[in-house]
Amino acid sequence: MKIGVFNHGWWTSAAEALGHMPVELPVAVGNDGNPYHADLSHRIANVRAVAARFAEAPPDFLIDNGGTGLSFVTGVEGAGASLRPLHEALERPLLSHFIDPLVTAFAGLDWSVAWQSLASPNWVKMFWDKAQVHELRQFGIDNVIHVPMAAPDRKYDTTPLDPDKVRPVASFVGGQNTGFFTSGHQVPTTSLFGGTLAAGVRSDIPDALFYDIYHNIYGLGLPISQDDSAEVRAAKSRAYFDAKLFHNVNLCIKNRDRFVIYLKRALGDGFELVGRGWDTAYGLPTGTPFPTTDQYLQNFRDVAININLVNGNAETGLNMRHFEVTAAGGFLLCYQQPELAENFVIGKECDAFRNENELIEKIQYYLANPKERCAIALAGQRRTLAQHLHSHRLQSVLRMLSPQAAPVTFSETTWSQDFKTFVPKAKVILDCGANVGQMARSFRHLYESADIYSFEPVAQCFSELEKACAEIGAKPVKKAVSDHDGVTKINLTTSPECHSLLGYEASNPCEKYTWIVDEEEVDVCSLDNWCVQNNIDTESIDIIKLDIQGAELQALRGATKILKSAKMVLAEVSFVPLYKDSPLYGEVDAFMAQAGYRRAALYPSDQPQHWGDALYVKKAEV
């Protein structure tokens, strides 16, 4: 697949990591070289350069950051008549990942033009902050999805940190972005009330979103109606975003500036500050930004504690530095954002604070406990490299946009018939996702003398599994399986068979029947490591069964030694996106073929249009 990338390096490397071909496309820029300042004439003039590159290597779809790929074709050159977004003229979807407010991203473009363009049916708007997704959907904008930030795809140093080789300091890397409180800055009072009111409400109701405060609680503006003209919609939305701009400023102070000022005064040289603007805004001494990306990432490994503070662009989301620090292998201590627990296990893969007292206490604690600090850093790195790279985000979006139909023919035989055909006798069976022992009982019926190890991490299910295993002579293991060892959280659903390490995909067709209600902390292991830790010869394992709700490919990647000799694998496979970042059937099929297996059968589920069970047999055994 060819992916047209508008001059942003991390989407280029993400496409390459997935085996796709990136086609770099030029962006329109303003007179100052800033793409956010490109006006309509710049975006029209850019069409010729994009079209020329497109003709050389036509991409299947286009992707940008901040709407910089939005250009326009017009019937009258240089005029505003008959405007049409370029991606529509090229008949290609455009994906835009917004990390700044819309009014900032389109600062050079007339707002009515930008706002009307958002209605483009093949323009997918991706936001790293769920609050922004909420407000745009309330405004009636379609094709708005939540795509968290991530770390760039590149080679990272995965050597565990040596506590004796780091500087025993806390460090923050990032610029000061708010000019509202600098000398001589004047702000129209009409733009201050909404943000100030929201700050007051959120001090008592922390989960309140600006949109709901502005429209639903206080009615500061009229919501957009389906009967509104395009001009009225643009005017209402512009008034809203102007009011929200000062709310963004308040968030900068609340989530970022206050802690930088506090730490510099409380810790002095024990707090290293690197970034522009702190000296002019608050008189704080700062270090020079790092000249290269390698030095920037190395700094996260060279200091004991990396403080991360989100600026005012997000009410709930995480910024890129959450993922850059952990990808580099540094220890992350960050302000408690609402979406943090959705991406990391707090206290195990990073840690968080809510106020100045907690911040100082945790800095002192982790400086005094370097081994725990380094263990958390290693777990955080494993999490990010496994789930939070830009290639993971791109892959998730591709699945969402182009669900793969099931080009399959289901087998007429049953799995139990095929098991006895391909593996008449089995020494060891790994039953992963055992639930309460249903398959373990069937395995015992088929293989009377086999050693059966049943993996189930959820406490309530495991208590029932223990009873079943005692009856049939199997061995229960209270762990989830993945591609690493550690501790994580599993999502608990209304149906015990659907508990998963992964969250539900927005398009999951099963959500109407079962949904996530809670979470539970569980131990997780790779099967290869578990065998070593329990003195089990990997060559003795004949059968692996995986029914772990979307995490099957992760588990297979953690079983590469076992797959060199195992005779058979039964894995649940999805034909449509069900869980976040979970593979589809074709990806599992490709992995197993590369591992030396052929698909011998495919069995339908009770919803065969959504998922089934694939049986893979070692080619040497056929």
Side-chain angles (χ1 to χ4, degrees):
M1 180 183 292
K2 295 186 182 71
I3 300 176
V5 181
F6 285 94
N7 287 5
H8 287 283
W10 60 67
W11 293 123
T12 296
S13 57
E16 291 172 340
L18 295 177
H20 301 306
M21 175 183 171
V23 179
E24 295 201 357
L25 302 171
V27 299
V29 297
N31 294 330
D32 60 356
N34 187 335
Y36 285 178
H37 295 165
D39 62 17
L40 183 58
S41 64
H42 295 129
R43 292 176 184 264
I44 291 174
N46 190 53
V47 166
R48 184 172 298 174
V50 174
R53 187 73 181 99
F54 190 93
E56 295 173 6
D60 298 287
F61 72 93
L62 315 172
I63 190 167
D64 69 40
N65 277 336
T68 54
L70 181 65
S71 295
F72 297 94
V73 295
T74 179
V76 182
E77 187 171 347
S82 305
L83 281 179
R84 187 184 183 194
L86 175 61
H87 63 272
E88 290 187 0
L90 295 174
E91 298 182 341
R92 295 294 189 274
L94 172 64
L95 283 64
S96 295
H97 197 204
F98 289 92
I99 59 177
D100 289 296
L102 285 177
V103 290
T104 301
F106 296 120
L109 190 62
D110 182 89
W111 179 249
S112 63
V113 175
W115 184 253
Q116 291 182 56
S117 298
L118 291 171
S120 170
N122 59 346
W123 186 11
V124 179
K125 285 73 67 174
M126 309 181 293
F127 291 85
W128 61 308
D129 180 54
K130 288 185 176 180
Q132 295 178 50
V133 173
H134 172 70
E135 66 190 10
L136 284 180
R137 287 177 177 172
Q138 294 300 309
F139 281 141
I141 301 299
D142 294 327
N143 298 327
V144 178
I145 62 175
H146 177 240
V147 176
M149 291 300 297
D153 290 82
R154 57 172 290 146
K155 184 175 178 59
Y156 291 95
D157 184 350
T158 57
T159 307
L161 295 177
D162 183 344
D164 297 326
K165 294 183 179 179
V166 300
R167 298 194 300 280
V169 297
S171 169
F172 173 72
V173 179
Q176 199 283 330
N177 298 325
T178 303
F180 274 75
F181 301 102
T182 56
S183 176
H185 188 93
Q186 295 182 353
V187 182
T189 56
T190 54
S191 70
L192 301 181
F193 180 68
T196 304
L197 179 63
V201 174
R202 285 170 61 95
S203 67
D204 294 319
I205 313 175
D207 295 335
L209 300 179
F210 182 79
Y211 181 92
D212 296 325
I213 296 169
Y214 185 88
H215 280 299
N216 301 334
I217 299 178
Y218 282 93
L220 299 182
L222 293 174
I224 287 177
S225 166
Q226 291 183 346
D227 297 328
D228 289 338
S229 66
E231 293 76 13
V232 171
R233 285 172 177 260
K236 285 182 176 180
S237 62
R238 184 63 200 234
Y240 170 83
F241 284 115
D242 283 347
K244 189 182 179 185
L245 202 55
F246 190 65
H247 177 56
N248 297 134
V249 174
N250 276 321
L251 288 177
C252 265
I253 302 300
K254 175 183 177 291
N255 297 352
R256 188 177 232 187
D257 293 24
R258 66 187 256 214
F259 295 113
V260 170
I261 297 168
Y262 175 74
L263 285 177
K264 201 60 186 174
R265 293 176 179 172
L267 299 181
D269 292 341
F271 174 58
E272 294 184 357
L273 176 62
V274 179
R276 296 184 176 88
W278 300 105
D279 49 353
T280 55
Y282 303 120
L284 301 178
T286 67
T288 304
F290 300 100
T292 69
T293 301
D294 287 341
Q295 290 171 294
Y296 167 76
L297 294 173
Q298 183 61 43
N299 181 72
F300 297 142
R301 299 178 60 86
D302 289 343
V303 299
I305 298 173
N306 291 281
I307 308 294
N308 187 35
L309 307 165
V310 179
N311 64 22
N313 293 351
E315 293 184 67
T316 63
L318 307 186
N319 63 8
M320 187 183 289
R321 197 144 304 128
H322 285 90
F323 305 105
E324 289 175 322
V325 170
T326 49
F331 171 75
L332 175 65
L333 178 61
C334 55
Y335 184 60
Q336 178 73 60
Q337 281 286 96
E339 294 181 34
L340 182 63
E342 299 176 18
N343 293 275
F344 297 99
V345 180
I346 301 172
K348 300 293 185 180
E349 298 170 342
C350 68
D351 209 344
F353 61 90
R354 294 174 178 81
N355 54 53
E356 286 79 358
N357 289 338
E358 272 194 1
L359 175 56
I360 287 294
E361 288 173 1
K362 292 201 173 184
I363 288 174
Q364 293 172 343
Y365 175 83
Y366 284 114
L367 287 176
N369 292 273
K371 290 185 178 179
E372 181 178 355
R373 186 182 74 229
C374 291
I376 291 174
L378 183 60
Q381 184 179 49
R382 287 173 173 168
R383 168 73 71 176
T384 294
L385 297 186
Q387 296 183 2
H388 299 318
L389 298 176
H390 275 101
S391 57
H392 298 125
R393 306 295 188 241
L394 181 57
Q395 188 174 49
S396 177
V397 172
L398 291 178
R399 291 177 187 142
M400 195 179 304
L401 294 178
S402 306
Q404 297 179 14
V408 299
T409 300
F410 290 114
S411 303
E412 296 181 1
T413 55
T414 66
W415 71 266
S416 57
Q417 292 172 333
D418 290 335
F419 266 48
K420 291 298 286 186
T421 297
F422 293 115
V423 183
K425 293 183 179 181
K427 295 178 183 177
V428 180
I429 300 172
L430 302 184
D431 172 22
C432 305
N435 196 248
V436 296
Q438 301 95 316
M439 282 291 285
R441 292 182 183 276
S442 297
F443 286 144
R444 176 55 72 218
H445 178 73
L446 289 175
Y447 303 104
E448 294 182 0
S449 61
D451 289 333
I452 302 171
Y453 295 91
S454 293
F455 293 75
E456 173 55 51
V458 176
Q460 186 174 3
C461 297
F462 186 77
S463 63
E464 296 297 318
L465 176 64
E466 284 186 302
K467 297 174 186 176
C469 286
E471 293 177 14
I472 64 174
K475 301 174 180 64
V477 182
K478 195 172 185 296
K479 288 181 180 290
V481 295
S482 186
D483 55 1
H484 66 281
D485 293 355
V487 177
T488 190
K489 289 186 178 180
I490 192 168
N491 293 301
L492 305 181
T493 68
T494 53
S495 174
E497 292 84 5
C498 296
H499 301 329
S500 177
L501 296 176
L502 308 177
Y504 274 3
E505 190 61 86
S507 58
N508 190 331
C510 305
E511 197 167 15
K512 66 180 74 172
Y513 308 112
T514 179
W515 52 91
I516 296 171
V517 293
D518 204 352
E519 61 184 12
E520 180 179 315
E521 190 172 274
V522 298
D523 291 326
V524 64
C525 68
S526 76
L527 290 174
D528 281 345
N529 290 344
W530 179 82
C531 286
V532 172
Q533 294 159 6
N534 290 274
N535 297 315
I536 294 175
D537 182 4
T538 57
E539 294 186 1
S540 69
I541 297 170
D542 292 312
I543 298 171
I544 304 174
K545 167 256 177 181
L546 297 167
D547 183 0
I548 51 178
Q549 307 307 303
E552 285 79 10
L553 190 52
Q554 290 181 17
L556 289 168
R557 287 172 174 153
T560 54
K561 292 181 181 178
I562 298 173
L563 291 176
K564 291 179 180 178
S565 55
K567 297 176 181 177
M568 196 161 57
V569 175
L570 180 68
E572 186 176 76
V573 290
S574 299
F575 308 134
V576 298
L578 299 176
Y579 297 93
K580 290 184 182 296
D581 298 320
S582 65
L584 293 182
Y585 163 58
E587 295 170 73
V588 176
D589 226 36
F591 178 90
M592 293 303 294
Q594 190 171 7
Y597 290 77
R598 74 171 180 90
R599 176 169 36 83
L602 187 67
Y603 312 108
S605 68
D606 58 350
Q607 294 189 43
Q609 73 276 27
H610 296 147
W611 75 85
D613 294 294
L615 181 66
Y616 296 96
V617 178
K618 194 72 171 178
K619 291 178 181 178
E621 300 296 329
V622 177

